[in-house]
Amino acid sequence: MAYKFNMTRGNAILNFSEEFCQSRCQLIESESFAKVLEKYIKNIKRKDTRIYVYLHGIQEDDVDLLDNLRGIFKLLLVMSVDEVCSIRPQAKAYFKDRDMFIALVEDIYLYWRRLQRYAVVFNETKRAGYQNVQFADAQNEFEELVLEVYRTIEGALGKKDKVMRQITAGVNAGLTVTHMRPFLPYEYRNLDEIPFIESVVIHPPFIAYSKRNKRDGVFPEMKTNPIEDKKFDSDSWFCYPAKVGDLLCFVYFNVKFMAQGVTLCNLFDLADESEYRNRKPDLVYVYGYEDGKDNQAFYQDEANDMLVALLSANDDFDYFGYMKKMILTLHNVQKINHRELPIHGAMVQMTLHNGDTKNIVVMGDSGAGKSETIEQIKVIGAAYVTDLKTIYDDMGVLSLGDKGKVKTSGTEIGAFVRLDDLDAGYSFKELDRSVFMNPDKVNARIVIPITDYKDVVAKHDIDMFLYANNYDDAGESLSFFETPEEALDVFRAGARMAKGTTTEMGIVESYFANPFGPVQRREQTEPILQDYFKRMFKQGVKVGQLRTRLGIKGNEHKGPKEAAEAILKYVTGETELKELPAEE
């Protein structure tokens, strides 16, 4: 990153390695502040706001207007309005309507806070702008500095706030990055100069907005490498080295889509440099390549035993679902190649008061009610459950352990959950750890870390393997199949009532409820599927159906709750569930 500051697509990226302001005057004189003010003036000019009309009546040339405002703001840090006007008479025109100038200051401050703001520092020996301040402390100092400048200028204008709000006025997130030559095959040398993310600092609540709030379709497989021969400007890209289950994925994302890239830290464990310095990745994903197209395909690089994918920079793909699900598609295809079975589902490990442990897998496509049922178990199972651990929330894998026993493990340390389907107030309780996606829109999402990586990749036994049926109103909430063939008819069909998590409507079907790998590799998956189901029945795993009824109107909360109650009654042997005594 050669630049000190970059604004693109609603993102403001501050390079603390090149410019780190340590005084109010430095902030006003900085290149970063000048660019923000320039963008602000262009914005109010485009909208022809009353503030712009007021300013344009004083100074018609926008360049001179920018210089005038910076000079006035600098003087207001140490002088009153009257003192400023006495030494700079031309400034009097700006203060003829004091309320309008105060509105200008408020509007600039609001414009800044509406940007997605990121700080970046390079982990190198020489740090000219950043100097030797610890990165997290530097972000806090920058926030205090922004607030101090804002409040000092408002105070000089005569506006005294009796209530102070310590909001996030600095950056929303910070990245430490390093230049490291990755261990990639020769065909991928065009990625060599892109810096790797070493650590992430998030300042919650982190609220991200994207152009879309739904994902559409499945990712097709292509016959040519989509990354080979592409050109990359290292100033415009970062690499997030993600641990996806036990696989390593290099996720390269365009800085124009910083929110999608930064949010990865709540979903996939960030690999340490020692884990990838001399290791070829299993997966490579390029997100947001500016080719003017709508590419969203993956490719199997057989020569290098890698799965790779590229997604174009396109408003239609500006949604975190395209980031997450492509990564999981690559993971799943690689697992199928090694005769393991990817599971679109969630797993919970439940420890009861009597010491018994139950491992329950709930499988189903997007919106089937997997995560919602698990959250309900947490809420209503407190009287019976001493410990409840979510091993994976969306995607897992079945593999064979000793003597061919079916085991399961996960892929993600976090959950990507619809806000509408969570208990009221849950998301606010988790405000300090969460990333919120489009909270004011339909299909609003929360991305929250839920599981330690060591628990995700551990090989777990399975006690119950359930299909989440969100569309069937008839029948018991929990029932079991008698034969593998009977079970496979339901699991293979992958039916669900579309909940608006994608662009699909009504009851739809997807092979094995998993359009992220098994659909693209159906012929390869089918014999693996049959083999694992026969093994589970032979090994005594209870394979059944869980009617969450999440897709039936009016049952969005009732259905998952009843499903959770049915699971708890089955594992405890109780016919009526008791509640935990209230706190005294």
Side-chain angles (χ1 to χ4, degrees):
M1 283 175 68
Y3 54 80
K4 297 178 181 178
F5 180 81
N6 185 22
M7 282 185 70
T8 176
R9 203 180 169 89
N11 298 314
I13 304 170
L14 298 96
N15 184 353
F16 277 10
S17 292
E18 293 294 329
E19 182 177 68
F20 181 66
C21 301
Q22 295 180 293
S23 71
R24 298 176 305 173
C25 186
Q26 281 183 353
L27 182 64
I28 296 296
E29 291 179 335
S30 70
E31 181 179 314
S32 304
F33 182 77
K35 288 186 175 180
V36 170
L37 193 56
E38 179 184 5
K39 287 277 189 178
Y40 168 76
I41 292 171
K42 288 180 179 178
N43 187 55
I44 62 173
K45 180 179 182 179
R46 178 178 60 85
K47 296 179 178 179
D48 197 27
T49 65
R50 66 188 187 96
I51 292 176
Y52 181 75
V53 172
Y54 175 75
L55 294 174
H56 191 63
I58 301 169
Q59 176 53 258
E60 292 185 359
D61 186 275
D62 290 345
V63 175
D64 290 339
L65 174 62
L66 172 63
D67 290 339
N68 290 347
L69 289 176
R70 289 182 73 192
I72 291 171
F73 290 148
K74 185 177 177 180
L75 292 173
L76 285 174
L77 293 175
V78 292
M79 298 180 182
S80 67
V81 171
D82 290 340
E83 290 171 328
V84 171
C85 293
S86 66
I87 68 167
R88 185 172 291 188
Q90 64 269 32
K92 290 181 180 179
Y94 288 95
F95 298 113
K96 63 182 178 183
D97 187 335
R98 185 78 62 92
D99 289 338
M100 188 62 78
F101 198 87
I102 291 173
L104 165 68
V105 174
E106 291 282 354
D107 205 39
I108 295 170
Y109 183 55
L110 182 62
Y111 176 77
W112 164 250
R113 289 197 296 110
R114 282 177 174 168
L115 295 170
Q116 290 288 321
R117 309 176 306 277
Y118 304 92
V120 177
V121 65
F122 283 85
N123 191 7
E124 296 169 349
T125 305
K126 294 182 180 180
R127 301 175 181 177
Y130 177 63
Q131 299 184 7
N132 295 316
V133 187
Q134 291 296 317
F135 189 38
D137 292 340
Q139 292 174 64
N140 292 332
E141 288 178 21
F142 179 70
E143 179 158 318
E144 290 295 329
L145 187 60
V146 172
L147 282 169
E148 185 181 356
V149 167
Y150 163 68
R151 288 170 179 167
T152 300
I153 291 174
E154 287 223 318
L157 293 168
K159 189 174 186 294
K160 302 295 183 183
D161 291 320
K162 294 186 285 293
V163 178
M164 299 290 187
R165 296 175 177 85
Q166 289 296 107
I167 59 176
T168 304
V171 295
N172 303 113
L175 309 175
T176 58
V177 301
T178 184
H179 281 115
M180 188 209 73
R181 184 62 60 91
F183 198 73
L184 282 167
Y186 180 75
E187 300 93 313
Y188 302 87
R189 62 193 180 281
N190 49 355
L191 300 170
D192 282 351
E193 301 303 320
I194 296 174
F196 275 65
I197 295 172
E198 286 191 325
S199 64
V200 181
V201 179
I202 288 182
H203 300 264
F206 187 98
I207 301 174
Y209 293 91
S210 55
K211 299 293 184 182
R212 292 199 66 185
N213 64 333
K214 293 181 182 179
R215 183 188 49 78
D216 187 18
V218 300
F219 302 112
E221 185 169 2
M222 63 189 304
K223 300 301 182 184
T224 57
N225 193 325
I227 298 175
E228 195 171 357
D229 298 327
K230 294 289 191 296
K231 296 184 184 300
F232 293 88
D233 177 3
S234 61
D235 281 347
S236 300
W237 292 85
F238 290 115
C239 178
Y240 184 96
K243 294 192 283 188
V244 186
D246 59 2
L247 301 183
L248 176 64
C249 180
F250 286 175
V251 185
Y252 295 89
F253 63 90
N254 191 322
V255 296
K256 291 186 176 181
F257 302 94
M258 283 286 285
Q260 320 294 18
V262 170
T263 302
L264 284 171
C265 71
N266 265 15
L267 199 65
F268 295 108
D269 199 39
L270 177 63
D272 186 79
E273 184 180 328
S274 62
E275 296 174 298
Y276 59 80
R277 173 171 283 281
N278 296 310
R279 176 183 169 186
K280 175 179 66 66
D282 304 288
L283 320 168
V284 173
Y285 181 28
V286 171
Y287 180 93
Y289 188 78
E290 295 180 274
D291 54 10
K293 301 178 181 178
D294 55 358
N295 291 318
Q296 53 166 333
F298 69 92
Y299 167 76
Q300 181 168 329
D301 183 350
E302 293 185 6
N304 294 302
D305 190 24
M306 291 166 52
L307 269 294
V308 300
L310 179 143
L311 191 102
S312 298
N314 190 315
D315 282 355
D316 288 341
F317 302 150
D318 184 9
Y319 175 56
F320 189 69
Y322 285 95
M323 174 69 87
K324 164 188 165 76
K325 294 299 189 182
M326 179 64 91
I327 294 171
L328 293 175
T329 298
L330 299 178
H331 166 276
N332 291 350
V333 172
Q334 189 73 310
K335 288 298 180 181
I336 292 170
N337 288 338
H338 292 84
R339 292 196 60 79
E340 297 181 8
L341 184 63
I343 300 299
H344 194 188
M347 179 198 165
V348 64
Q349 187 175 80
M350 189 186 308
T351 303
L352 305 178
H353 282 288
N354 62 9
D356 289 347
T357 298
K358 300 293 182 182
N359 293 335
I360 301 167
V361 176
V362 183
M363 198 194 100
D365 207 344
S366 298
K370 308 179 295 292
S371 304
E372 294 77 11
T373 300
I374 287 176
E375 292 305 325
Q376 286 294 337
I377 291 174
K378 292 178 182 178
V379 172
I380 63 179
Y384 299 93
V385 180
T386 59
D387 184 48
L388 192 143
K389 186 179 295 181
T390 302
I391 303 301
Y392 53 87
D393 178 79
D394 182 57
M395 200 72 70
V397 65
L398 299 186
S399 59
L400 299 181
D402 295 338
K403 298 179 181 179
K405 187 171 185 180
V406 177
K407 300 276 191 174
T408 188
S409 54
T411 55
E412 302 148 285
I413 60 168
F416 180 50
V417 189
R418 275 170 52 98
L419 279 173
D420 293 348
D421 296 326
L422 291 173
D423 256 12
Y426 174 83
S427 58
F428 294 102
K429 294 174 186 175
E430 302 296 336
L431 194 71
D432 59 336
R433 300 192 304 147
S434 303
V435 173
F436 290 83
M437 297 277 186
N438 301 319
D440 57 335
K441 297 179 182 177
V442 174
N443 198 38
R445 295 277 185 153
I446 182 175
V447 188
I448 180 172
I450 56 171
T451 310
D452 290 335
Y453 179 72
K454 61 180 176 59
D455 294 322
V456 171
V457 294
K459 306 292 185 181
H460 303 273
D461 290 333
I462 307 171
D463 295 301
M464 292 199 311
F465 193 84
L466 307 173
Y467 183 79
N469 177 330
N470 76 341
Y471 58 87
D472 194 353
D473 202 11
E476 297 293 324
S477 292
L478 178 64
S479 59
F480 297 103
F481 299 109
E482 298 293 331
T483 65
E485 292 74 23
E486 184 185 3
L488 279 168
D489 285 343
V490 172
F491 281 84
R492 187 187 287 117
R496 67 181 169 98
M497 178 70 74
K499 276 282 296 170
T501 59
T502 66
T503 57
E504 298 166 310
M505 299 294 291
I507 294 182
V508 295
E509 293 186 354
S510 178
Y511 175 67
F512 197 46
N514 196 343
F516 312 107
V519 165
Q520 294 88 338
R521 295 290 183 91
R522 181 164 182 159
E523 289 186 8
Q524 191 180 354
T525 304
E526 182 60 28
I528 305 172
L529 177 62
Q530 293 185 30
D531 178 41
Y532 276 81
F533 267 71
K534 288 175 183 177
R535 288 175 184 269
M536 283 193 290
F537 272 85
K538 188 176 180 180
Q539 294 164 10
V541 177
K542 300 295 291 184
V543 181
Q545 189 166 198
L546 186 70
R547 292 178 174 85
T548 68
R549 301 183 173 91
L550 189 70
I552 301 172
K553 190 172 178 59
N555 287 267
E556 290 86 354
H557 296 287
K558 178 184 175 184
K561 182 179 180 182
E562 291 177 346
E565 289 173 345
I567 289 175
L568 286 165
K569 287 178 181 178
Y570 182 82
V571 299
T572 60
E574 301 278 356
T575 55
E576 293 294 330
L577 296 177
K578 62 185 179 183
E579 294 183 3
L580 194 70
E583 290 185 13
E584 295 182 1

